[in-house]
Amino acid sequence: MKKTFPLSPAAAEALTREHPTPFHLYDEAAIRENARRLNAAFSGCEGFREYFAVKALPNPWIMRILREEGFGADCSSLTELLLAGKVGYRGEDIMFTSNDTPAREFAEARRLGAIINLDDISHIDALERAAGLPEVVCCRYNPGPLKAGNAIIGKPEEAKYGFTREQLFEGFRRLRDKGVARFGLHAMVASNELDPAYFIETGRLLFKLVVDLSTELDIRFEFVNLGGGIGIPYRPGESAVSYEAIAGGVKEAYDGIIRANGLHPLRICMECGRVITGPYGWLVTRVLHLKQTYRTYVGTDASMANLMRPGMYGAYHHISVLGKDGSGGRAVYDVTGSLCENNDKFAIARELPAVAVGDLLAIHDTGAHGHAMGFNYNGMLRSAELLLRADGSVTSIRRAETVDDYFATLDFTGLEAP
Ligand SMILES: *Cc1c(COP(=O)(O)O)cnc(C)c1O
């Protein structure tokens, strides 16, 4: 997958005169085009809906764009629920997939009329106590060590999420007996997965379970939610996952299991975040220093506070030196931020076109789990987010934090210097 940046080096330089670095830049046209491709690929699955995982890029402008493209919102906290409500998501446009859920969050999800996806059998009572049981309830399945004929589903038994198979039978029975009338089944046990077969396998697993649960409990399922987790090609050598391959395989499994057992119609939902916005965001940062010791360091004006994935997971993010293609020489660098943490590095021993102080770098694929994971350690302030519109203009969709923002939660009363 060729790594591109949507602005010319001169346009990027001009942009930084109005919006100082660092900032994340998102490409609206590319996000819309991608959303349409996903919907088109699943058009053969009646009632298909993607609920954008808000945690990946919790910005109202982006959420509004995705709502316009027909997506729902997948929320997992009170703030995300409130955010979804503010940008016009209503009722069952919202999927609430949380875990370890506070009563207040169940209550807010109920107030909004969201589809509540329970993480644990004990949450049936917790939800009932907090807000009463809604008409529709979804439960999250964790297949655990039950490999169910596939080696692809990692190690779900080590994940904190979801019900066991036995608990699902017990849980849906209780929900049925308490008068819940509409049911959904969910699973998500992988992240950043590039193999379409994985999602088809998850579909098959859930379809079979829907057959077993429906037969045993005499209930009718309305939807299955295949979760998120579609990966993106962070490395130039990787390829994007084919939506058509996933949709085709899921539809085939659907026909073979759901239709064959007379359980059509059953809507298929997903709650992807990364694949929806990830490739269409860039962290733009300027080179402040070049340092030559045992290695050569490129010191930028961004830090892990703006993009945590490399430091946290050792994740690869491609880096372009804007306006340089390597014909003027190449060298090997560690690309760093200024945190007092040695893992504050965007790249380690990375070969790049020869870098000079003042160069602009574009760190790729920061459109999901980028700004969203930011934090204030070391007094770092989170950057602005900018939106590149289809007409080439740029809108600020989140200003950069200021020192006043950082101080806003502190109380200096009585601490003034004498
Ligand atoms: C994180 C998460 C997602 C989104 O995952 P992506 O890898 O961004 O697609 C969806 N659903 C749940 C429950 C999650 O925790």
Side-chain angles (χ1 to χ4, degrees), residues 36-197:
R36 288 171 197 178
R37 277 198 305 114
L38 179 72
N39 281 338
F42 278 92
S43 59
C45 298
E46 226 172 283
F48 170 81
R49 196 163 197 205
E50 151 73 10
Y51 294 76
F52 176 62
V54 171
K55 75 166 189 258
L57 181 45
N59 186 295
W61 288 67
I62 302 292
M63 292 167 70
R64 172 61 65 83
I65 288 168
L66 294 173
R67 193 171 89 91
E68 286 170 5
E69 297 301 331
F71 288 9
D74 180 64
C75 302
S76 40
S77 69
L78 180 66
T79 315
E80 290 179 0
L81 283 170
L82 296 172
L83 199 49
K86 268 182 179 293
V87 293
Y89 290 88
R90 290 285 171 266
E92 295 184 10
D93 293 340
I94 303 171
M95 186 85 69
F96 183 54
T97 303
S98 66
N99 69 93
D100 190 25
T101 313
R104 182 164 170 225
E105 304 200 355
F106 278 136
E108 182 60 22
R110 279 285 275 131
R111 194 186 67 76
L112 286 165
I115 300 175
I116 296 177
N117 187 7
L118 296 179
D119 182 68
D120 184 52
I121 192 160
S122 70
H123 291 193
I124 296 172
D125 292 340
L127 171 60
E128 191 172 25
R129 276 196 308 273
L133 289 175
E135 175 191 314
V136 53
V137 174
C138 182
C139 295
R140 180 171 188 164
Y141 176 41
N142 182 330
L146 279 181
K147 288 285 190 224
N150 85 79
I152 309 162
I153 291 185
K155 278 215 163 172
E157 70 264 37
E158 291 176 8
K160 66 174 176 171
Y161 310 109
F163 291 53
T164 66
R165 183 180 164 92
E166 294 67 31
Q167 288 171 339
L168 282 179
F169 282 84
E170 171 62 20
F172 280 116
R173 183 190 312 278
R174 275 164 55 192
L175 289 166
R176 177 199 67 186
D177 293 346
K178 285 171 182 288
V180 172
R182 300 164 53 209
F183 300 94
L185 183 63
H186 167 270
M188 165 156 178
V189 281
S191 179
N192 197 26
E193 175 58 59
L194 285 169
D195 183 358

Side-chain angles (χ1 to χ4, degrees), residues 250-277:
V250 166
K251 174 138 184 15
E252 192 183 322
Y254 182 95
D255 290 344
I257 301 167
I258 295 298
R259 275 188 195 270
N261 283 281
L263 296 176
H264 173 76
L266 176 74
R267 289 193 300 112
I268 293 168
C269 306
M270 290 198 85
E271 49 182 33
C272 291
R274 186 185 318 271
V275 79
I276 305 302
T277 52

